[in-house]
Amino acid sequence: MFLSNQDVIELTAWRRKLHAMPEVSGEEIATAAEVQGFLADTGPDRVISGLGGTGIAVVYDSGAPGPTVMFRAELDALPIEETGTPEHRSQIPGKGHMCGHDGHMTMLAALGRQFSRERPKRGRAILLFQPAEETGAGAAAVIADGKFADLTPDYSFSLHNMPGLPLGHAWLKDGIANCASRGLKIVLSGRTAHASMPETGISPVPAVARLMPALTALSKGSIAAEDLVLATVTHAAIGEPAFGIAPGHAEVWVTLRAMTDGEMEALVTAAETLVSEIAAEARLEHALEYHDIFVHSENDPEAAALLRAAMEAEGVPHEPGETMRGSEDFGRFGSVSKSAMFFLGAGEDMPNLHNPNYDFPDDLIPIGTRIFARVARDILG
Ligand SMILES: [Zn+2]
Ligand SMILES: [Zn+2]
């Protein structure tokens, strides 16, 4: 075991420090500085900051030709008030590390310690701490950043901690790991009227009443059959909270989800067709906006095989598991490299991700680190 007891103690303390100082997507300034400071004494060959916003890439270069292997963690926390009461609970009101990204960062920091003691023999290892995973904006921003051009990896790896799975058991799948998803904001505009004369206005009420079940009814298929399509209405608002006004304005928010980007395109077309038909029949103007766009995330067979071999070698129990309904912006790195991600069990009795009392289990730190370190050694020597 390359991590000493002292390492584990220090890394655990650092994970808890990160947990107490959550920052939300795109605002991870103190977190990025903390990462940079913690890894300074590992003697990286290059540190690139401000990547895609607040991102940090830490490069350990062998100096010899060879592939570039990137490991990705996320800097961001969530706008969720922590209700758990560990000693290291969030010190920032309304914000919390409820997705375990504090643990993912710590595993990469542990890898940095490993590379500082034993440089790769060929090629380069890159630790990428990316911003804004939760909004789906961060990975795309990193890839679009000019500073990323000479960091572009041959292989990219990531993991996500997964409550509900036994602690330390892994799910690793060939093919689709996470669904594509996007938020669709539908704005309907008519004309307000006095509530005593609603017929003189154009109310969005009947259209909203039709639209919500019609959108929901676009859902079909299942994860098991690899054809799940899901439309979930998440929010609706009509007019103003007043008794005197017949409304002239409404919003419906719906999250669209599909197992592939192709099926997402078909779902988007179906949703847009529904909206324009229903709005036109009700004589309403409509506008559409998309938010939080995630592509599907697909494991490359060679990259997945490398992870699987590392799990075997490290004695980590693993099975294919199933595609996650949730989305993950790591999928973007599949367009520039051979990429694969896996899910590491956080324990069967843990609260779900994004629950207000989630706290990453520290016992996973050495397990995830060992898998990544083994992959790095297998590729880079
Ligand atoms: Zn999350
Ligand atoms: Zn997450």
Side-chain angles (χ1 to χ4, degrees), residues 113-240:
R113 287 196 167 187
Q114 167 66 6
F115 295 139
S116 77
R117 291 165 191 164
E118 195 183 338
R119 273 286 192 280
K121 294 191 176 54
R122 56 180 174 274
R124 306 179 290 178
I126 298 178
L127 308 179
L128 172 67
F129 298 83
Q130 76 150 71
E133 191 284 325
E134 295 288 356
T135 60
V142 166
I143 292 167
D145 191 319
K147 297 191 286 296
F148 189 69
D150 65 68
L151 299 175
T152 305
D154 297 288
Y155 298 90
S156 320
F157 298 97
S158 185
L159 67 79
H160 209 293
N161 71 107
M162 192 50 60
L165 276 186
L167 189 81
H169 285 235
W171 271 10
L172 169 63
K173 223 181 150 287
D174 284 327
I176 304 163
N178 291 80
C179 289
S181 73
R182 59 176 63 191
L184 168 57
K185 180 173 161 183
I186 302 158
V187 179
L188 300 170
S189 305
R191 193 169 65 238
T192 56
H194 195 281
S196 66
M197 293 185 290
E199 69 281 6
T200 63
I202 302 174
S203 168
V205 167
V208 170
R210 282 179 68 194
L211 197 52
M212 292 201 291
L215 286 167
T216 305
L218 295 173
S219 306
K220 60 183 185 207
S222 69
I223 288 279
E226 300 230 321
D227 62 355
L228 178 76
V229 167
L230 203 55
T232 309
V233 174
T234 61
H235 174 72
I238 302 176
E240 303 302 323

Side-chain angles (χ1 to χ4, degrees), residues 74 99 101 104 133-134 160 328 353-354:
E74 318 89 321
C99 206
H101 296 175
H104 302 167
E133 191 284 325
E134 295 288 356
H160 209 293
E328 169 54 70
L353 297 174
H354 295 201

Side-chain angles (χ1 to χ4, degrees), residues 28-339:
E28 311 93 333
I29 292 165
T31 308
E34 180 61 38
V35 165
Q36 213 169 333
F38 192 79
L39 285 171
D41 69 359
T42 63
D45 297 289
R46 279 174 74 196
V47 177
I48 297 95
S49 58
L51 204 54
T54 59
I56 303 275
V58 184
V59 184
Y60 301 88
D61 198 330
S62 67
T68 295
V69 181
M70 188 182 87
F71 299 92
R72 191 289 308 247
E74 318 89 321
L75 292 164
D76 54 343
L78 288 152
I80 298 174
E81 174 87 22
E82 181 163 13
T83 60
T85 55
E87 246 177 70
H88 53 276
R89 67 184 168 274
S90 170
Q91 297 301 303
I92 314 287
K95 297 175 187 174
H97 264 297
M98 301 297 127
C99 206
H101 296 175
D102 45 349
H104 302 167
M105 286 187 265
T106 306
M107 290 188 249
L108 259 58
L111 271 182
R113 287 196 167 187
Q114 167 66 6
F115 295 139
S116 77
R117 291 165 191 164
E118 195 183 338
R119 273 286 192 280
K121 294 191 176 54
R122 56 180 174 274
R124 306 179 290 178
I126 298 178
L127 308 179
L128 172 67
F129 298 83
Q130 76 150 71
E133 191 284 325
E134 295 288 356
T135 60
V142 166
I143 292 167
D145 191 319
K147 297 191 286 296
F148 189 69
D150 65 68
L151 299 175
T152 305
D154 297 288
Y155 298 90
S156 320
F157 298 97
S158 185
L159 67 79
H160 209 293
N161 71 107
M162 192 50 60
L165 276 186
L167 189 81
H169 285 235
W171 271 10
L172 169 63
K173 223 181 150 287
D174 284 327
I176 304 163
N178 291 80
C179 289
S181 73
R182 59 176 63 191
L184 168 57
K185 180 173 161 183
I186 302 158
V187 179
L188 300 170
S189 305
R191 193 169 65 238
T192 56
H194 195 281
S196 66
M197 293 185 290
E199 69 281 6
T200 63
I202 302 174
S203 168
V205 167
V208 170
R210 282 179 68 194
L211 197 52
M212 292 201 291
L215 286 167
T216 305
L218 295 173
S219 306
K220 60 183 185 207
S222 69
I223 288 279
E226 300 230 321
D227 62 355
L228 178 76
V229 167
L230 203 55
T232 309
V233 174
T234 61
H235 174 72
I238 302 176
E240 303 302 323
F243 292 109
I245 310 167
H249 181 271
E251 277 187 17
V252 177
W253 294 22
V254 57
T255 301
L256 306 178
R257 196 174 295 285
M259 290 188 75
T260 64
D261 299 331
E263 281 157 12
M264 174 58 79
E265 267 181 51
L267 177 59
V268 163
T269 304
E272 290 188 357
T273 304
L274 258 183
V275 173
S276 63
E277 283 175 6
I278 290 175
E281 283 168 27
R283 296 183 297 130
L284 298 162
E285 303 282 317
H286 74 275
L288 305 174
E289 277 176 33
Y290 289 99
H291 297 269
D292 298 12
I293 297 175
F294 291 83
V295 299
H296 82 263
S297 147
E298 183 152 355
N299 284 343
D300 170 83
E302 185 190 341
L306 284 157
L307 280 178
R308 201 170 289 118
M311 288 170 188
E312 286 290 326
E314 294 296 334
V316 174
H318 62 91
E319 54 182 309
E322 57 183 37
T323 301
M324 295 290 161
R325 286 187 178 202
S327 300
E328 169 54 70
D329 85 344
F330 181 70
R332 298 270 178 190
F333 293 105
S335 62
V336 295
S337 59
K338 291 178 179 173
S339 74

